[in-house]
Amino acid sequence: MSAPLASWIDGLRTDVMPADDRALHYGDGLFETIVLRSGCARFLEAHLARLALGCARLGIRFTDMPRLRAEVAEAISLAPRHAILKIIVSRGSTVRRGYAPRGTETARRMLWLWPAAEPVPPLAAGVTLELATTRLGENPLIAGIKHLSRIENVLAAARAAEAGAFEALMLDTSERVISGAMSNVFAVRDGRVITPRVDRCGVAGVMRGIVLRECSALGLQAAEASISVEDLLNADEVFLTNVRIGVVPVGRVGEHACRMNTCSQRLTAHIENLDA
Amino acid sequence: MSAPLASWIDGLRTDVMPADDRALHYGDGLFETIVLRSGCARFLEAHLARLALGCARLGIRFTDMPRLRAEVAEAISLAPRHAILKIIVSRGSTVRRGYAPRGTETARRMLWLWPAAEPVPPLAAGVTLELATTRLGENPLIAGIKHLSRIENVLAAARAAEAGAFEALMLDTSERVISGAMSNVFAVRDGRVITPRVDRCGVAGVMRGIVLRECSALGLQAAEASISVEDLLNADEVFLTNVRIGVVPVGRVGEHACRMNTCSQRLTAHIENLDA
C-alpha cells in the first residue's frame, strides 16, 4: 500500500497537480474514500451525496458530477478485486492570492486508485481506542462534511499510532465524545445503539449512516445522542465504523476493558450482504 | 496579481507538485507569507522562527532550513521592488494512506514569488470589519502556528468579501474576539494597546509580534488581553495588522462607526523605518 495504482487530475492520468490549487494552500476542498469490491463502488451514491453537500456548504460550484462518475467508472475498470478509490474535489486554482475565493475558480477533480488488503474479520478481542489530547474545534458550518482541513485528525491519529492504539477517541472542547480520528463511534446500552451528533464537529461517515439506517432491520433501536467518556466505559458494547474497516468492536478504551457484545458482529454480517 | 512570477518545489523551478503530498490531502503543513521590499525579506527571522515552531508542534522533521534560506535568497534575486514570497513546508508525500503519518516522511519545501502592489497609505476613514458567523475552533496544540488547514479562514474571508468588507472579525466558540481572517486585531483603551491571546485559536502574526514589541518605543503600553465585541466597539481605536497590510485602522465594525485615533498611524510610521 505504498503507492497508488493510478491517479487522475481532471480526467487525465498524472501524478502531479498544479501547485496553485487551493486544496494545497488552504485545505479548501472535500474528499471521499470509497471501497471498491469486485468491480463495484460500495455505497457510491451516499459518498457522492456527501460530496455534493460539502461543495454546497463550502460554496464550491461543482457542476462536473457526470464527469466524476465517468472517472470513477474508469478507475473501477482498472481496479483489482479489493481496492480503495480516493476522490478530492478542490475549489481549484488560486485566482488571486489570499483566503477569500474570487468565486470564478473552476473546481478540480482528483482521483487515486489504491490497492487494498483483503478485508480482515474483526478480532474477537476488539481494537484499542486511545483518548486524544487534541480536541475537535466546534464549527457547525463545516461539521459533518469531509473537508480537507484535517490537521486535528492527523495529530490525533499520530498520537494514537505512537501509543500502539488502533484509533484515537476524539472529544469536542466540551469534553463530549464525537468520533475516532478516521471513524465514527457507537455505544450500545440496553439494546439501544447510539452515536454522537456531528452537527458541531466530526464527520457524518457513510458507514455511520448505513448503521443508523440498518439497525431496525436487526430489531435494534438507533439514535443520535450526547455521549460522555463515562457513558462509553459503561456501555454494553462500543464499536467503530467507517467504510474501509466496516463495523469494528472496541476491546479497550485506554486502560479500561470494554464489555463486548454481539451488535457489531450482527451489523457486520448484515451490512456485508447489502447491495452497494 | 493573477499568477506567481515563479515557483519552486524542493529547489526546482516548477509549477506542479506531487499529487500525493500530505498538504493537499490533509492540510498537513505550514506556511509563511513574507514581504519582499527592495531586495530584502522583511522580518525573515521572525517568519522562519514561527515556521520552525510550527514544524515542532506538528512533529514535522524539517532539517532543511539552510536550503530554504538559499531558496529564499534566489527568490529575492528575481523579485521586483515590491513582491510577496509565500513558503509552504509540508510533511511531504504520503508514505501510507490515512491520517497518521508514518514518521519517515520527508518534509517538502515550496516557494511562490508573487508581484505585489506598491503599499498604499491607510485610508484616514479606516477599513470595515464584518462580524463572521463562522467561529474559530479552539485547539491549543495548533493555536498560534500558521498551519495549512484553513477552511475556517476561507469561509469567513469569503463572507466578508461578499459583504463588501475589508476583513472578517472572527470570534471563538466562547464569543471572544480572536482576530481577522487574515490579520490580527488590536484595540486601544486609555492609551493601552491590547490584542487577544492566540493560545487556543488564531495565528500569532509576525506583525502582531512586532507591534507588541515596538509599542514601548512609542511610549505605549501593550499587552495580551481577553476582548469582547463590546470592548472593540467602545475602544478609542481599533486596528488590524499583518505583514502585507501593515497596521491598518478600522473605521467600522459592521454598522458601528469606530472611534479613530493616532496609534495606528504612529505605529505605521515607526515600523516602516525598522530594519527588516
Side-chain angles (χ1 to χ4, degrees), chain A residues 19-20 24-25, chain B residues 4 6-7 84-86 88 110-114:
Chain A
D20 61 358
L24 165 68
H25 288 263
Chain B
S7 53
I84 299 286
L85 180 65
K86 178 164 179 175
I88 286 181
M110 313 179 209
L111 282 80
W112 292 261
L113 179 65
W114 292 81

Side-chain angles (χ1 to χ4, degrees), chain A residues 17 25 86 97 135 244, chain B residues 17 25 86 97 244:
Chain A
M17 60 164 300
H25 288 263
K86 177 162 180 176
R97 245 186 19 80
R135 294 290 174 270
R244 193 175 52 77
Chain B
M17 59 163 301
H25 288 262
K86 178 164 179 175
R97 246 188 15 81
R244 192 175 52 76

Side-chain angles (χ1 to χ4, degrees), chain A residues 3-255:
Chain A
L5 297 169
S7 53
W8 294 258
I9 310 287
D10 282 342
L12 299 175
R13 285 282 290 270
T14 176
D15 55 7
V16 294
M17 60 164 300
D20 61 358
D21 194 278
R22 290 179 56 97
L24 165 68
H25 288 263
Y26 309 119
D28 191 8
L30 298 140
F31 74 108
E32 295 292 334
T33 305
I34 302 174
V35 169
L36 305 188
R37 204 172 66 183
S38 308
C40 172
R42 297 270 289 165
F43 312 121
L44 179 62
E45 294 312 313
H47 284 289
L48 297 183
R50 181 174 58 183
L51 184 62
L53 173 68
C55 287
R57 284 260 212 103
L58 301 188
I60 293 177
R61 262 171 280 178
F62 179 55
T63 54
D64 280 338
M65 199 59 95
R67 284 194 197 166
L68 179 60
R69 284 180 183 277
E71 289 154 20
V72 168
E74 184 185 346
I76 291 173
S77 75
L78 295 176
R81 188 172 152 77
H82 295 282
I84 298 286
L85 180 65
K86 177 162 180 176
I87 300 174
I88 287 181
V89 171
S90 79
R91 198 184 301 272
S93 286
T94 305
V95 171
R96 65 171 166 199
R97 245 186 19 80
Y99 289 130
R102 177 148 290 203
T104 56
E105 293 82 5
T106 303
R108 181 168 284 129
R109 310 176 306 283
M110 313 179 210
L111 282 80
W112 291 261
L113 180 64
W114 292 82
E118 302 261 333
V120 181
L123 301 172
V127 298
T128 300
L129 273 180
E130 181 77 18
L131 194 61
T133 50
T134 308
R135 294 290 174 270
L136 287 167
E138 296 174 45
N139 188 333
L141 191 60
I142 55 171
I145 63 175
K146 215 164 160 79
H147 61 74
L148 291 171
S149 286
R150 289 292 161 197
I151 192 66
E152 290 176 334
N153 306 64
V154 167
L155 294 176
R159 301 288 153 98
E162 281 165 22
F166 178 78
E167 171 65 308
L169 177 63
M170 303 194 74
L171 313 182
D172 66 14
T173 48
S174 313
E175 305 287 307
R176 286 174 295 225
V177 169
I178 299 300
S179 66
M182 52 101 175
S183 64
N184 289 106
V185 63
F186 286 76
V188 186
R189 192 75 192 259
D190 303 326
R192 198 159 158 265
V193 177
I194 55 173
T195 190
R197 264 178 273 280
V198 287
D199 55 353
R200 296 190 56 78
C201 49
V203 173
V206 163
M207 186 56 75
R208 173 185 182 273
I210 306 280
V211 166
L212 284 172
R213 189 189 73 196
E214 295 298 326
C215 272
S216 64
L218 299 178
L220 296 164
Q221 203 192 333
E224 296 180 318
S226 182
I227 302 181
S228 66
V229 173
E230 185 148 11
D231 292 336
L232 221 55
L233 303 186
N234 292 325
D236 297 326
E237 185 176 3
V238 177
F239 59 84
L240 304 176
T241 64
N242 84 20
V243 294
R244 193 175 52 77
I245 64 174
V247 179
V248 172
V250 173
R252 305 191 74 87
V253 176
E255 296 301 305

Side-chain angles (χ1 to χ4, degrees), chain B residues 218-229:
Chain B
L218 300 177
L220 296 164
Q221 203 191 335
E224 295 180 317
S226 182
I227 302 182
S228 67
V229 174

